[in-house]
Amino acid sequence: MKKPTRSSPKIALALAGGGPLGAIYEIGALCALQESLKGIDFTRLQHYVGVSAGGFIAAGLANGITPQQLFALFIEDRKHQTEAFDPAWLLKPAFAEFFSRSLLLPELMLKGAWHSTLGRKSLMRTLERMSPSLPTGIFSNAQIDVELTRLFSRAGRSNDFRQLKSRLTLVATHLDSSKAVAFGRTGWDHIPISKAVQASAALPGLFPPVEIDGQHFVDGALIKTMHASIALDEGVDLMLCLNPLVPFDASAPASAGESATPWAAPEPIPRIADGGLPAVLSQTFRSLIHSRLLLGLKHYEQAYPNTDIVLIEPNHRDPELYLANTFSYSQRRHLAEHAYQQTRQLLRSRQTNLAAKLGYHGITLNHAALDDVHRHLCAPRRPPARIGQALTKLHNLMDNLNQVVSAAEPKSDPTW
């Protein structure tokens, strides 16, 4: 850790993707971080880097929208909101894609019939020639561009990268070259922020590629999980990283101290395979992107020794976020509260290391907020049990004691 010589350290925030679930986690975590850390304003950072769903959050923060306002915008019930972003918009079928692809079918069928008869091609080769008629995505995410254009047109906000007070970079993948493109950097800063968010969140297979300037773009997470190096290359003192998706450890249930909501003890999860194909695919996807993230962080620590890097992510043994239905408003509120409380718990359990690392940059822990057991983002279902509070405090004490012992040992690797 190197204490910055300037009075105002350069702080960057990198937000990974994860669909609506990832956005909900990041909003809940950011609300906890904003009220639990003194000396930092998450709407006035040096640089924001967003990928996929994280791009929506990053663009909002760069436009001066606070984490609490993002909560009201993205998670609260829309009935009485003048502006809101509904994830259900992402479930609209891509009718335009279906129609345009269907127009190719007659010509492809004629060519296929010719190749299978006169051309003497195999049936499999004939069917392969029909593939251009298949849609490139099931759902349309065009509403992202529409709604964010409206949201960023309000007074004090902008849909233009060049007019923002802070640096904003949104990463997508150029489909034809499979290279990462950083919207917001020179050469790509003329693209509307709303369109860049749409492109960065276009998960292949689920959404069609987004066409920009005659080129096609898909989800930015195809190349890297977080792309924090974009901000690190420009020089920052503190790099905060939020990653919402982690593989779930079903081999052991979370302890009382690890449960973010002690009033809602999670039910034990059986073996991952018992959940069928969706569970296996989810665990596989999470494992792949998380292992890639950890490798990237190790590289960052070596390549940028003068930058402190802090990673915030869910507990691997907590089933709440793994078994989530993000398209239910009541469930979304519960998940946001869970992420909020889990992040508060993380800050308490690792306050020894974090206090030292963040203190170099003028950031301190707000112990009054962290120790307030009655503090909530949403109303709890019932008050926390006293035994749950006691076990949580004991767990925090043991964690911090372990950090002190580890710090005293020679050549010990830091947790963060």
Side-chain angles (χ1 to χ4, degrees), residues 256-257 345 348-349 351 370-373 386-400:
Q345 167 62 22
R348 288 193 295 265
S349 65
Q351 59 184 296
L370 281 175
D371 296 336
D372 184 0
V373 297
R386 291 185 178 181
I387 187 171
Q389 296 178 26
L391 288 172
T392 298
K393 291 181 179 179
L394 177 61
H395 177 80
N396 295 339
L397 178 62
M398 294 300 295
D399 266 1
N400 283 280

Side-chain angles (χ1 to χ4, degrees), residues 43 59-66 69 83 150-160 163-166 193:
T43 64
L61 293 172
N63 262 288
I65 303 176
T66 67
Q69 289 172 331
E83 56 181 25
R150 179 178 59 84
L151 179 66
F152 296 152
S153 65
R154 304 245 172 180
R157 304 173 187 171
S158 176
N159 201 27
D160 190 330
Q163 295 181 8
L164 296 176
K165 295 180 180 179
S166 300
I193 295 173

Side-chain angles (χ1 to χ4, degrees), residues 39-50:
I40 183 173
D41 183 345
F42 281 90
T43 64
R44 295 184 178 182
L45 302 184
Q46 180 77 17
H47 198 155
Y48 301 89
V49 180

Side-chain angles (χ1 to χ4, degrees), residues 36-290:
S36 302
L37 301 179
K38 295 180 179 179
I40 183 173
D41 183 345
F42 281 90
T43 64
R44 295 184 178 182
L45 302 184
Q46 180 77 17
H47 198 155
Y48 301 89
V49 180
V51 181
S52 194
F56 164 75
I57 309 300
L61 293 172
N63 262 288
I65 303 176
T66 67
Q68 288 73 19
Q69 289 172 331
L70 285 172
F71 170 78
L73 173 71
F74 192 80
I75 295 169
E76 285 284 25
D77 197 325
R78 303 180 63 245
K79 293 180 181 179
H80 306 292
Q81 298 289 329
T82 57
E83 56 181 25
F85 192 92
D86 189 350
W89 292 328
L90 302 179
L91 294 180
K92 294 182 178 180
F95 291 117
E97 175 72 5
F98 298 158
F99 178 74
S100 62
R101 294 287 168 173
S102 67
L103 295 179
L104 302 175
L105 194 56
E107 180 181 354
L108 293 174
M109 291 181 66
L110 289 174
K111 290 182 177 180
W114 184 89
H115 283 287
S116 63
T117 54
L118 300 178
R120 297 183 180 181
K121 300 292 184 180
S122 65
L123 177 61
M124 186 60 64
R125 290 294 302 275
T126 301
L127 292 177
E128 288 177 357
R129 292 180 176 274
M130 305 288 292
S131 59
S133 65
L134 297 177
T136 57
I138 302 173
F139 302 107
S140 171
N141 69 350
Q143 199 67 22
I144 292 178
D145 182 24
V146 175
E147 297 299 330
L148 289 186
T149 297
R150 179 178 59 84
L151 179 66
F152 296 152
S153 65
R154 304 245 172 180
R157 304 173 187 171
S158 176
N159 201 27
D160 190 330
F161 286 99
R162 298 162 294 189
Q163 295 181 8
L164 296 176
K165 295 180 180 179
S166 300
R167 196 91 157 89
L168 172 64
T169 303
L170 303 174
V171 185
T173 301
H174 185 259
L175 186 60
D176 291 330
S177 66
S178 190
K179 294 181 179 179
V181 171
F183 293 107
R185 305 192 81 175
T186 304
W188 293 104
D189 55 358
H190 66 287
I191 306 300
I193 295 173
S194 56
K195 180 62 72 172
V197 173
Q198 180 192 358
S200 181
L203 184 65
L206 193 62
F207 303 111
V210 176
E211 185 173 353
I212 298 176
D213 290 350
Q215 304 176 69
H216 291 94
F217 299 89
V218 293
D219 198 304
L222 267 65
I223 307 300
K224 291 182 182 179
T225 302
M226 192 166 286
H227 293 275
S229 59
I230 292 175
L232 290 168
D233 286 339
E234 295 187 355
V236 294
D237 300 306
L238 177 63
M239 184 81 239
L240 302 176
C241 303
L242 264 66
N243 172 52
L245 295 184
V246 298
F248 177 67
D249 183 2
S251 62
S255 66
E258 292 172 327
S259 177
T261 51
W263 63 86
E267 298 181 0
I269 289 182
R271 296 170 300 177
I272 296 294
D274 293 341
L277 180 62
V280 172
L281 290 178
S282 176
Q283 183 77 334
T284 301
F285 175 72
R286 289 166 178 259
S287 299
L288 288 173
I289 64 172
H290 193 258

